[in-house]
Amino acid sequence: MPPPEPNGLPTAPPSNPRQGDTAAPPAGSPDAPVAFRCNLCGTHNVVPRSRLGRETPSCSRCGSTVRFRAMAHLLTAALFGEGIALVDLPARKDIVGIGLSDAHAYAAPLAKKLGYTNTWFHTEPRLDIANVPPGIGARYDFLIASDVFEHVAPPVSRAFTNARRILKPGGVSCSRCLSRSRATLSSTSRDCTISGSSRRTAAGRSTTAPPTAATKPSPT
Ligand SMILES: [Zn+2]
C-alpha cells in the first residue's frame, strides 16, 4: 500500500509488478496508472494518466478534477501552512471566506469545516466582484476564484482591487484563470495563481507570500 498523498496530487505508483503479471505500461504513457488520494473527499484512486485532465473527473467518489484538487491544495497550504485534505480539516468556523461560483465538489466540504459561503453572479447569495457594495471591506480571511477573473469586463483591475479590499489584513486570495493573451486565440492556456501580498497561517502568523506564476492583486 503506497503512502497517502495528502495534497491530492498524483504520484507515480509502485512499479514492481509481480512475476507473471502483465507488464505495466511504461511511466509517462497515457495508460500508466497513477495513484492519488483525493484531497476533497479522501478517497484513494488509481487512474490512467490520461484521466488526469484539468477538467476531467478523476475521483471515483466525488468526481473531483485536477483543477478542483489544486484549488483545495492552494487554499489549505495558504491557511494552514500545508496541503490538507478537506475531509481532514479541523472545524474552524472562525476562518471566514467566500467563493466566487465555486464548484460544489469543494464548496460543500469547505462549508462544513470553515466559515465559508459560496456566492454567485446571477443568484443569491450574490456577489459581483467587479462591483462590490460598500460596507464589506476587510471581512474575509480568504477568497477563492477559479476561472472567474478572465470573465470580468475590462478593466479587470476593479476585481483585483475589490478582492484585496474585502480581505482582512493577511487574508489570502486563491485564484486560477485562463489566459489566451499569447500570440493567438488558440486553445493555448496558462494557469495562474494569485496570492495576497501576505498570508496567514492557522496560528495567525503572517508571512510574505512568495511571488507566483502570475499577477498579484493591485494594491489599494
Ligand atoms: Zn474525491
Side-chain angles (χ1 to χ4, degrees):
M1 175 70 71
E5 299 78 33
N7 296 339
L9 303 178
T11 59
S15 56
N16 194 13
R18 293 167 299 179
Q19 189 172 15
D21 283 356
T22 303
S29 80
D31 296 328
V34 177
F36 69 95
R37 182 187 183 224
C38 175
N39 64 342
L40 306 190
C41 71
T43 298
H44 291 271
N45 296 273
V46 180
V47 300
R49 182 173 296 276
S50 59
R51 282 278 305 280
L52 291 176
R54 184 182 188 275
E55 302 297 334
T56 304
S58 45
C59 174
S60 61
R61 182 175 183 184
C62 73
S64 66
T65 65
V66 169
R67 176 166 64 96
F68 296 169
R69 296 193 292 275
M71 295 306 298
H73 176 74
L74 283 173
L75 178 67
T76 57
L79 290 177
F80 298 96
E82 61 179 332
I84 303 174
L86 300 187
V87 70
D88 297 331
L89 278 180
R92 288 289 305 269
K93 293 291 186 177
D94 59 305
I95 300 177
V96 179
I98 56 171
L100 306 181
S101 305
D102 280 339
H104 179 76
Y106 58 88
L110 283 175
K112 286 183 179 178
K113 296 297 182 73
L114 306 180
Y116 163 87
T117 302
N118 201 6
T119 66
W120 306 93
F121 184 77
H122 293 295
T123 186
E124 298 293 342
R126 190 185 303 263
L127 181 68
D128 176 3
I129 194 63
N131 295 286
V132 172
I136 65 168
R139 177 177 297 184
Y140 298 106
D141 296 297
F142 67 90
L143 165 73
I144 305 173
S146 180
D147 292 6
V148 171
F149 288 127
E150 69 269 36
H151 300 290
V152 173
V156 72
S157 58
R158 296 175 301 158
F160 294 144
T161 298
N162 286 332
R164 182 66 172 265
R165 180 163 66 85
I166 66 176
L167 289 171
K168 298 175 183 176
V172 295
S173 172
C174 295
S175 304
R176 291 167 62 99
C177 61
L178 295 174
S179 170
R180 294 182 175 85
S181 60
R182 291 185 177 180
T184 68
L185 291 177
S186 70
S187 60
T188 299
S189 64
R190 181 180 61 182
D191 290 330
C192 60
T193 302
I194 303 170
S195 300
S197 58
S198 62
R199 62 185 180 184
R200 193 183 67 171
T201 68
R205 179 168 52 90
S206 292
T207 58
T208 301
T212 53
T215 317
K216 285 182 164 183
S218 303
T220 53

